[in-house]
Amino acid sequence: MRRFLRPLTDSVTYTRWLHLLIPSAVVSVWLFISPDTPWAALVFAVPVGLLPAMRLAEGVQAQLLLTPDERGSPDASIAAASAVTWADRWRTVAWLEVRLLLSGVAMFATVWLPATAVDLVLTVTDAGPSGDWLLRGVEPHSWYILFVPLPLLVLLAVMVVCGELVTAAARWLLSQSPVERLTRLEERTEQLLERNRIARELHDSIGHALTVAVVQAGAARAAKDPEFTERALAAIEETGRDALDDLERVLRVLRESDAPVSQRPTLAEADRLLESARGSGAKVDAEMSGPVELVPGPVSREGYRILQEALTNVLRHSGTVPVRVRITVAEGWLELEVANPLTGSTGSSGGGSGLRGIRERAALLGGNAKTGPYDGEWRVHASLPLDRLSAVP
């Protein structure tokens, strides 16, 4: 019994009924103007349904009244978008025809079934039938009172059934087309890629700054030298300012979706990373060869982040050890290598999220990255192609 009564307690049953009655009001006005052409509404629905914007209007209305729980969801079963193809337009026409037919059933049930219940009551009270088509010419009897709830129950059943039918029709005829589903999938993919990129930006930038600050603070406390402590504090301050600048760039991307990615640091600013590492006590031997300033924007920006994460990994796991940095641009490739002597804790970082991020960055650009021990050193070597993205700013 609960299964049959549950739809009657659900608000969506009544919003669906309202959705069906809206066209009936328009048709009623038409019948008042031209009572001899009730079929004209079905014919008029054809040119109206072919308008691209009609699919958008019907989709919004259907989402609001038929499936309110799906409204705003990217996976909504009813699309709210203008028609792009002729197939979408003809599906909209078919939807309008189905809606008009079910609307006629809904209006008929809404008007005549309650009127039938009233006629039954009038018959029982000997007031005589009101002329309802069901009771016309029927002799009055007192036991008709037992049938008074029947038309109302039928009305409720018709409400539930017609609501389910119109919702099923909307999900079939107003559903997302293959083009729309592909577009939606591409948008969601772009959003996920952007979220992952922002997460990597925060990890690389803030992680580098905190690592430098921790190393500098530890070294200053161990040295107990006021002059060294002053230099360490200056290095911490400079690194913190750089980290705040990076954080501001990331937050700007979050606040303004159209913010240009060209504002992110590139390999042309690699010196500040190298100086930051030197300020932390590491002996950095850096060498750049080739036209680094001509490296395409995406490659240069990702190369900067790879270098930043590699230096952070050295400071975090090996401390102030000698570091060799080689950046080479030649024959259509950017080769970036960071190497340091192996220590007891260096090798344990091979599965960390930072090194995994380096490999992901390289793979997204069509290159590759290798991280791990080699010939007594811990090496991070990334090879990034230049020609594939030379046209990207």
Side-chain angles (χ1 to χ4, degrees):
M1 181 62 70
R2 290 182 180 179
R3 178 183 177 184
F4 295 102
L5 295 179
R6 187 179 298 114
L8 301 180
T9 62
D10 194 348
S11 60
V12 74
T13 300
Y14 305 97
T15 60
R16 290 173 178 176
W17 193 247
L18 174 63
H19 180 270
L20 284 171
L21 294 180
I22 291 175
S24 298
V26 178
V27 173
S28 298
V29 174
W30 175 265
L31 292 177
F32 179 78
I33 298 174
S34 179
D36 298 330
T37 57
W39 46 266
L42 296 175
V43 176
F44 185 68
V46 176
V48 172
L50 292 177
L51 297 174
M54 182 54 60
R55 185 166 180 266
L56 172 62
E58 289 294 317
V60 170
Q61 190 180 139
Q63 281 190 358
L64 180 65
L65 298 177
L66 299 182
T67 57
D69 56 321
E70 298 180 3
R71 184 176 51 181
S73 171
D75 299 320
S77 57
I78 299 175
S82 299
V84 177
T85 64
W86 279 102
D88 291 338
R89 298 184 185 187
W90 284 112
R91 289 170 67 199
T92 306
V93 171
W95 156 252
L96 290 177
E97 300 289 354
V98 171
R99 185 181 179 188
L100 284 172
L101 292 174
L102 289 175
S103 179
V105 175
M107 178 58 75
F108 183 85
T110 302
V111 173
W112 290 108
L113 289 176
T116 301
V118 172
D119 259 7
L120 288 170
V121 174
L122 293 176
T123 302
V124 171
T125 58
D126 292 329
S130 64
D132 192 292
W133 66 284
L134 284 177
L135 301 178
R136 187 174 300 166
V138 176
E139 295 295 329
H141 291 285
S142 58
W143 52 270
Y144 283 176
I145 192 65
L146 300 176
F147 296 99
V148 170
L150 185 59
L152 302 179
L153 293 176
V154 173
L155 174 61
L156 294 175
V158 172
M159 287 175 59
V160 174
V161 173
C162 286
E164 292 292 337
L165 288 176
V166 75
T167 302
R171 286 173 171 161
W172 178 37
L173 297 172
L174 296 180
S175 61
Q176 294 181 2
S177 65
V179 174
E180 290 172 330
R181 285 195 294 269
L182 180 59
T183 302
R184 180 73 66 178
L185 179 61
E186 291 176 347
E187 290 176 353
R188 293 185 65 182
T189 301
E190 289 295 328
Q191 291 173 356
L192 290 175
L193 288 175
E194 183 67 10
R195 288 173 59 185
N196 288 336
R197 186 186 68 78
I198 291 173
R200 289 197 302 266
E201 291 283 324
L202 289 174
H203 174 273
D204 295 348
S205 178
I206 306 304
H208 173 78
L210 291 177
T211 299
V212 170
V214 169
V215 172
Q216 289 280 9
R221 184 179 60 179
K224 297 181 180 180
D225 182 353
E227 184 177 350
F228 182 85
T229 300
E230 184 177 353
R231 292 199 305 270
L233 291 174
I236 292 173
E237 180 183 8
E238 182 180 356
T239 304
R241 291 183 187 276
D242 292 341
L244 287 175
D245 290 341
D246 286 343
L247 181 60
E248 179 61 27
R249 291 189 184 99
V250 174
L251 293 178
R252 192 181 300 118
V253 171
L254 292 174
R255 289 193 299 264
E256 305 173 10
S257 58
D258 296 331
V261 295
S262 57
Q263 295 181 1
R264 292 162 52 196
T266 65
L267 283 176
E269 305 172 62
D271 285 344
R272 80 176 193 178
L273 288 178
L274 302 176
E275 290 302 321
S276 177
R278 291 188 180 106
S280 299
K283 299 178 181 179
V284 180
D285 174 21
E287 181 180 321
M288 296 187 186
S289 60
V292 177
E293 68 280 358
L294 299 182
V295 173
V299 179
S300 188
R301 289 189 288 269
E302 297 304 321
Y304 179 94
R305 292 305 185 194
I306 291 173
L307 175 61
Q308 185 178 54
E309 175 56 35
L311 292 174
T312 301
N313 188 65
V314 172
L315 294 173
R316 181 181 298 154
H317 298 286
S318 299
T320 55
V321 297
V323 183
R324 185 178 70 256
V325 176
R326 296 291 182 266
I327 301 175
T328 305
V329 179
E331 300 180 356
W333 287 83
L334 168 66
E335 303 287 343
L336 192 153
E337 182 178 273
V338 178
N340 62 277
L342 279 173
T343 63
S345 59
T346 305
S348 63
S349 62
S353 60
L355 297 181
R356 184 170 60 250
I358 289 176
R359 292 188 287 268
E360 291 175 354
R361 288 179 185 273
L364 285 174
L365 292 173
N368 61 83
K370 298 178 181 179
T371 61
Y374 180 80
D375 197 18
E377 292 181 321
W378 179 269
R379 291 186 185 179
V380 174
H381 186 96
S383 299
L384 307 179
L386 305 181
D387 54 343
R388 298 185 188 180
L389 297 170
S390 59
V392 182

